[in-house]
Amino acid sequence: MNLNGEINSQLMPSGVRHITFSHPAHNSFPSNQLRAVVAAIDAAGNDEDTRCILLRSGGERTFCAGANLDELLAIEDRKGGKEFFMGFGNLLLAMRACPKPIVVAVQGKAIGGGVGIAAAADYCLATEAASIKLSELAIAIGPFVILPALRRKMGTAATSELCLDTEWHNARWAHEKGLYQRLFHTYEELNTAAEDLATKLAKYSPQAAAELKKALWEGTRGWPYLIEERAEISGRLVLTAEAKQALAKFKKK
């Protein structure tokens, strides 16, 4: 597998576009891979033959470990920090703007930006092994970029709990709070259900589905500006001595 990660985009005869990302470091995202996923979603949104998107990661364990730690440690100035955090910001914005319904299948643990992807899904399915965690506050920053998606999906109370309690929350908790719409015992059950749902959605009117998605995302028009502001905050905080020390300790674990 390419150490920079891989992106695969494949259109099925059903009209479902499969977009799969993978990386040897627990499906974490280097910046170039994030840009590739954004490009794949944008292309699918403009493709008349694509009726629905099924987004998932490779392997059967970790869904996504968030951003690339080495790139995070290498940030040297605010401009670089903002650009780094806009990586996941642009992915959330692409998922929001895409006129096609996006189904996300979470087969395992999700951390940081991986939780943000689940929150930005139009419909998210997961296994009972799909625990979630936001550890950003523990490393002297915060999950500012993904907060709009989390609050929209889970509400303020659950989002606050997840952000402030930096420990693991199990999949049943995430399901109860609305992050996951459905839970499954096994990886195989998850994949079957995700395929079935995406195929079903692909049969509906594209125009009706696009208008419904627009209505469901009502109130998010200001997200491009909000997420950019949040990326600036994260980009500033990651340069502090507290963040540098915490990140260095985190990498040694």
Side-chain angles (χ1 to χ4, degrees):
M1 183 181 291
N2 189 326
L3 292 180
N4 290 321
E6 295 179 346
I7 300 296
N8 181 269
S9 178
Q10 184 177 10
L11 180 63
M12 298 289 112
S14 62
V16 176
R17 170 75 61 176
H18 289 200
I19 299 177
T20 305
F21 63 89
S22 58
H23 193 281
H26 305 290
N27 289 329
S28 60
F29 268 113
S31 296
N32 62 335
Q33 191 179 17
L34 276 169
R35 289 190 292 269
V37 176
V38 170
I41 290 174
D42 288 344
N46 292 319
D47 177 27
E48 292 184 358
D49 293 328
T50 297
R51 308 285 291 267
C52 179
I53 296 171
L54 176 54
L55 178 62
R56 52 190 171 188
S57 64
E60 298 185 17
R61 301 186 68 181
T62 305
F63 170 67
C64 178
N68 181 273
L69 185 58
D70 290 332
E71 287 188 11
L72 189 59
L73 285 165
I75 295 172
E76 296 181 345
D77 53 42
R78 289 192 179 187
K79 180 181 178 182
K82 178 182 176 181
E83 290 177 353
F84 175 86
F85 287 104
M86 278 304 298
F88 268 103
N90 287 329
L91 176 53
L92 301 185
L93 292 173
M95 294 176 71
R96 166 192 170 272
C98 181
K100 314 297 171 66
I102 299 177
V103 176
V104 173
V106 181
Q107 81 279 25
K109 292 181 177 179
I111 304 169
V115 182
I117 294 173
D122 295 307
Y123 203 108
C124 189
L125 305 89
T127 67
E128 293 177 347
S131 299
I132 60 174
K133 182 179 183 180
L134 296 181
S135 56
E136 284 84 351
L137 187 60
I139 53 176
I141 50 177
F144 298 105
V145 167
I146 66 171
L147 271 178
L150 291 172
R151 291 184 65 181
R152 172 184 172 270
K153 196 75 174 287
M154 304 171 64
T156 300
T159 298
S160 297
E161 180 179 347
L162 187 61
C163 293
L164 296 174
D165 180 359
T166 59
E167 302 301 321
W168 287 103
H169 291 67
N170 64 37
R172 291 197 175 277
W173 183 91
H175 179 243
E176 290 170 359
K177 303 304 181 183
L179 182 68
Y180 301 149
Q181 276 66 63
R182 295 167 65 188
L183 282 184
F184 300 89
H185 293 295
T186 68
Y187 173 77
E188 290 76 17
E189 290 174 347
L190 169 69
N191 277 343
T192 298
E195 293 274 3
D196 289 347
L197 174 62
T199 300
K200 179 180 179 180
L201 292 175
K203 294 177 181 178
Y204 296 148
S205 160
Q207 294 82 8
E211 290 297 333
L212 177 59
K213 178 163 181 173
K214 189 185 301 183
L216 290 171
W217 284 82
E218 186 178 1
T220 64
R221 185 173 295 181
W223 273 28
Y225 308 100
L226 177 61
I227 287 178
E228 186 174 352
E229 289 179 356
R230 299 288 176 78
E232 288 179 353
I233 294 172
S234 295
R236 169 171 49 84
L237 288 174
V238 77
L239 297 172
T240 63
E242 293 92 341
K244 291 292 186 183
Q245 292 170 3
L247 285 166
K249 290 180 180 178
F250 186 79
K251 187 176 181 180
K252 292 179 180 178
K253 290 183 178 180

